[in-house]
Amino acid sequence: MTFTSFEFLLFFPAVVLLYNIIPQKWRLFYLLAASYVFYAFLQPVYLILLAAVTATTYGFTRWMENVDDDDKKHKIMIWGIVVILLPLFFFKYFNFVDESITSLFQSMGIGITMPTIRWMLPLGISYYTFMAIGYLVDVYNEDVEVEHNVCAVGLFLSFFPIVLSGPIERAGNMFPQIKAMERSKPIDLTSGAKLMLWGYFMKLCVADRLGIYIDAVYSNVAQHNGTSLALAALLFPIQEYGDLGGYSLLAIGAARCFGFKIVPNFNRPFFSTSMSNFWRRWHMSLIKWLTDYIYTPISYALRSKKMWGIVIALLVTFLVSGIWHGAALTVICWGLMQGVLLSIETVFQNKRNNFEEKFKLKKNGLYIFVCCVVVYIIFAFTEIYGMSSSFAEANLIVKKIFTEPGALFIDKTTLSVAVLMTVILFFKDLRDEFFPNKLRCFESKSIVVRFGSYLLICFLILLLGVLNAGQFIYFQF
Amino acid sequence: MNKNEIIEKLTPIFREVLEMSDLVLADELSANDVDNWTSLTHMLIMTKIEETFGITFKLKELKKLQNVGDMITVLEEKTK
């Protein structure tokens, strides 16, 4: 059962309805049970893993609570992190490390074959593992109180709207809401439904429509010319935005229907005027997590190295981001590219600020437009490495883009629908970015405009949405 | 060290690192108010404060600093 499945359309309203009927004291157990049922629909056997990570997190935080000595607490935290990371390493990275060692031995002429694991990756493991680690570190830093109710920790790590693909939540935001769990207010239900409606539009009409064209080109790189590959490469960031951005809105909207306010994950990323600005708007919950638990400690530890300390911290942070995204050298390379780009920006940040100040460019429309385009193209280029299965494939795409122009491969129906849907998404983001209080549709005071826009989006989803595309891209992480 | 003495020592550090010769420190001033106050310049400021005041910050303490006022309060504590 995923957000785009028929079962979910039955499951979700039923869970919301019952949540509002039962007494408050039962809501925690009820939502925990609903979350486990949701997960069991997808991978029942891995519920054991989810429960084990919950128990481990709970145990280590309670242990830390009973220790006064800071050094000992620190050691407990490190051991907790190691234990929580073990399943992630085992399921996601074991084969990658294993195959790398085997090929290293083979290149040295030693014919050793290491045992491989052919198990399915537990869904959401990267997300709930990071949430558990975040909670452990927050307890150590005294940013949050230790939660004594194991069911609350269980719900924090398994809450069904966010368990599969985030947003990566934090204990400080979730535990107070888990404790409160009042009956849903009308504003929660309407806001949640609107977010979900827009999420479905982004996923089914934008991401999956574009996906048909992009998959057709990328699944046969050898047969397509550079022009078609360039168009696919330029469209891919929009597909990803529609996919994870849409999923995030579905998750945030679903949680909102229970009164939960989940952290945002995207903030109109294609209006970014620099790469650092882009990474404050794209997959924000992951970047915030990486900033707090990887970048800040490293940059603090290396502060005496000044500029180099920051550069090393950035490189390591985005290396971890690459590793988190996938156990493949291309994805790790993609992460390093982001780190290098951000390092260059950081080094020249003051000069850029002074330049913009001198020529009064901060509010210059043309300058902002050019910066947004440049950032978009740079990100689209790095994504060629992020999505390719091998360096050979990525290099072939890049080579063809620059050396093999030709007639564009066009699937007219798919592309025209996809472009129309993208234009709608673009104008909505444009309005939110520059004219947040103008031309409201979902929030209009006029009931005709409001309901007209709901109906239009429902109509577009049913008529032009891809209703059988299957999974979200980010489930694989 | 009292608040005025701390501000007197902090001001040249902020002005030099942020390249703003006329910057005036106030309790409410934070990274959101100054363009050049980035993650890099923040760490440079902290390193210079540690050198100037002969102290070291713990990461826990650094994370709790929201603005210049918080920084002055911590420095008052550490230089008692």
Side-chain angles (χ1 to χ4, degrees):
Chain A
M1 177 165 52
T2 65
F3 287 173
T4 51
S5 66
F6 178 70
E7 294 94 323
F8 185 77
L9 292 181
L10 300 175
F11 171 84
F12 180 65
V15 174
V16 174
L17 183 70
L18 208 56
Y19 173 86
N20 284 290
I21 293 171
I22 60 172
Q24 188 179 23
K25 62 179 177 181
W26 293 109
R27 286 197 187 122
L28 171 59
F29 308 105
Y30 169 71
L31 264 193
L32 179 62
S35 298
Y36 271 55
V37 167
F38 176 82
Y39 200 91
F41 265 100
L42 291 158
Q43 289 180 330
V45 69
Y46 287 139
L47 271 180
I48 301 165
L49 189 62
L50 187 53
V53 170
T54 302
T56 308
T57 309
Y58 180 78
F60 274 97
T61 50
R62 292 302 302 268
W63 187 8
M64 253 197 274
E65 189 184 25
N66 295 321
V67 171
D68 291 326
D69 181 50
D70 196 60
D71 287 342
K72 202 173 172 198
K73 245 186 195 178
H74 190 261
K75 276 184 191 145
I76 296 170
M77 177 190 75
I78 297 293
W79 275 110
I81 292 172
V82 170
V83 175
I84 290 168
L85 276 174
L86 279 177
L88 182 67
F89 172 78
F90 187 72
F91 284 103
K92 193 165 173 178
Y93 303 109
F94 183 84
N95 282 350
F96 171 66
V97 174
D98 178 89
E99 280 159 19
S100 303
I101 292 170
T102 305
S103 59
L104 182 71
F105 277 136
Q106 277 170 356
S107 66
M108 290 159 66
I110 306 166
I112 293 176
T113 310
M114 312 276 283
T116 49
I117 304 165
R118 293 282 170 246
W119 288 356
M120 210 192 295
L121 182 71
L123 286 171
I125 187 168
S126 307
Y127 296 89
Y128 64 71
T129 299
F130 268 32
M131 282 167 59
I133 291 173
Y135 173 41
L136 214 59
V137 178
D138 286 349
V139 167
Y140 169 73
N141 283 335
E142 294 162 17
D143 289 336
V144 295
E145 300 269 317
V146 174
E147 176 54 55
H148 289 187
N149 187 339
V150 71
C151 291
V153 179
L155 181 59
F156 167 55
L157 295 177
S158 69
F159 188 35
F160 78 86
I162 61 172
V163 69
L164 299 180
S165 282
I168 298 171
E169 258 297 354
R170 310 293 274 273
N173 185 40
M174 286 299 279
F175 283 133
Q177 300 192 73
I178 288 173
K179 281 208 171 72
M181 288 216 279
E182 288 172 7
R183 193 165 281 146
S184 317
K185 296 181 186 76
I187 184 77
D188 292 329
L189 294 168
T190 52
S191 305
K194 284 178 203 174
L195 288 169
M196 290 179 81
L197 184 60
W198 192 247
Y200 276 120
F201 173 79
M202 284 177 73
K203 165 65 182 163
L204 301 171
C205 295
V206 179
D208 289 349
R209 248 324 133 190
L210 285 171
I212 296 173
Y213 180 81
I214 293 165
D215 288 349
V217 175
Y218 275 164
S219 61
N220 204 349
V221 172
Q223 295 300 315
H224 286 282
N225 62 40
T227 312
S228 304
L229 287 166
L231 180 63
L234 282 173
L235 292 176
F236 187 65
I238 304 172
Q239 186 200 355
E240 262 197 307
Y241 174 45
D243 192 273
L244 185 60
Y247 175 87
S248 301
L249 287 183
L250 285 167
I252 294 165
R256 187 68 197 270
C257 291
F258 299 100
F260 280 80
K261 288 185 177 135
I262 301 293
V263 290
N265 230 6
F266 287 84
N267 183 22
R268 303 180 291 283
F270 301 137
F271 291 100
S272 307
T273 51
S274 65
M275 286 307 286
S276 49
N277 186 225
F278 177 85
W279 282 110
R280 282 193 290 271
R281 291 164 171 257
W282 179 276
H283 210 173
M284 293 148 73
S285 65
L286 173 67
I287 295 304
K288 181 85 172 62
W289 192 98
L290 291 169
T291 303
D292 288 352
Y293 304 117
I294 308 280
Y295 171 80
T296 305
I298 295 176
S299 60
Y300 165 77
L302 299 177
R303 64 195 185 285
S304 61
K305 307 252 180 290
K306 297 179 180 170
M307 181 77 81
W308 283 108
I310 298 291
V311 169
I312 292 167
L314 278 170
L315 290 174
V316 174
T317 302
F318 277 89
L319 177 68
V320 173
S321 169
I323 294 169
W324 180 90
H325 275 87
L329 285 175
T330 45
V331 191
I332 294 168
C333 170
W334 167 86
L336 275 175
M337 282 178 177
Q338 309 303 328
V340 169
L341 288 165
L342 283 173
S343 300
I344 294 169
E345 264 193 14
T346 306
V347 172
F348 292 104
Q349 187 65 52
N350 274 6
K351 285 193 170 55
R352 181 176 171 173
N353 282 343
N354 295 339
F355 173 78
E356 288 173 345
E357 202 72 48
K358 190 176 170 187
F359 294 100
K360 298 188 170 41
L361 294 170
K362 290 233 180 243
K363 288 184 177 163
N364 181 310
L366 181 65
Y367 176 76
I368 292 170
F369 173 73
V370 171
C371 288
C372 291
V373 171
V374 171
V375 168
Y376 184 87
I377 291 171
I378 290 173
F379 181 68
F381 178 81
T382 62
E383 283 292 89
I384 294 173
Y385 286 85
M387 51 65 62
S388 293
S389 54
S390 67
F391 280 114
E393 186 185 274
N395 291 338
L396 179 64
I397 293 171
V398 173
K399 191 181 155 205
K400 281 191 153 201
I401 286 174
F402 288 106
T403 59
E404 283 186 31
L408 192 64
F409 163 70
I410 291 186
D411 168 358
K412 269 186 190 163
T413 317
T414 302
L415 258 189
S416 52
V417 171
V419 168
L420 176 68
M421 299 297 105
T422 304
V423 166
I424 295 173
L425 173 62
F426 173 78
F427 276 107
K428 196 253 180 203
D429 278 5
L430 183 80
R431 192 244 3 237
D432 289 347
E433 181 73 21
F434 297 110
F435 321 100
N437 297 316
K438 301 262 168 68
L439 298 168
R440 307 301 304 179
C441 295
F442 280 11
E443 313 295 339
S444 171
K445 282 178 183 160
S446 156
I447 194 165
V448 178
V449 175
R450 224 166 46 237
F451 277 84
S453 55
Y454 303 154
L455 283 174
L456 176 70
I457 297 301
C458 286
F459 177 72
L460 288 176
I461 291 170
L462 291 172
L463 195 72
L464 302 173
V466 182
L467 302 175
N468 58 351
Q471 278 204 348
F472 290 82
I473 296 174
Y474 268 68
F475 276 9
Q476 65 191 300
F477 304 135
Chain B
M1 210 177 272
N2 67 36
K3 190 174 177 178
N4 287 338
E5 287 170 327
I6 290 170
I7 292 177
E8 209 169 294
K9 282 192 165 191
L10 280 182
T11 304
I13 296 174
F14 274 81
R15 286 181 176 176
E16 188 196 331
V17 176
L18 299 178
E19 297 177 13
M20 294 172 77
S21 54
D22 52 355
L23 183 74
V24 179
L25 294 186
D27 281 355
E28 302 76 32
L29 190 75
S30 73
N32 295 332
D33 308 315
V34 184
D35 279 349
N36 284 358
W37 193 340
T38 60
S39 54
L40 169 64
T41 51
H42 184 71
M43 279 301 168
L44 293 178
I45 289 168
M46 290 304 159
T47 314
K48 281 204 178 268
I49 291 174
E50 285 182 329
E51 285 167 5
T52 308
F53 289 82
I55 53 159
T56 47
F57 287 111
K58 279 188 171 182
L59 181 57
K60 273 184 194 180
E61 291 168 336
L62 272 191
K63 287 180 77 173
K64 287 187 177 125
L65 303 180
Q66 299 293 321
N67 53 33
V68 170
D70 291 347
M71 204 179 277
I72 292 168
T73 310
V74 173
L75 286 170
E76 278 177 322
E77 277 294 312
K78 284 191 173 277
T79 54
K80 255 182 193 169

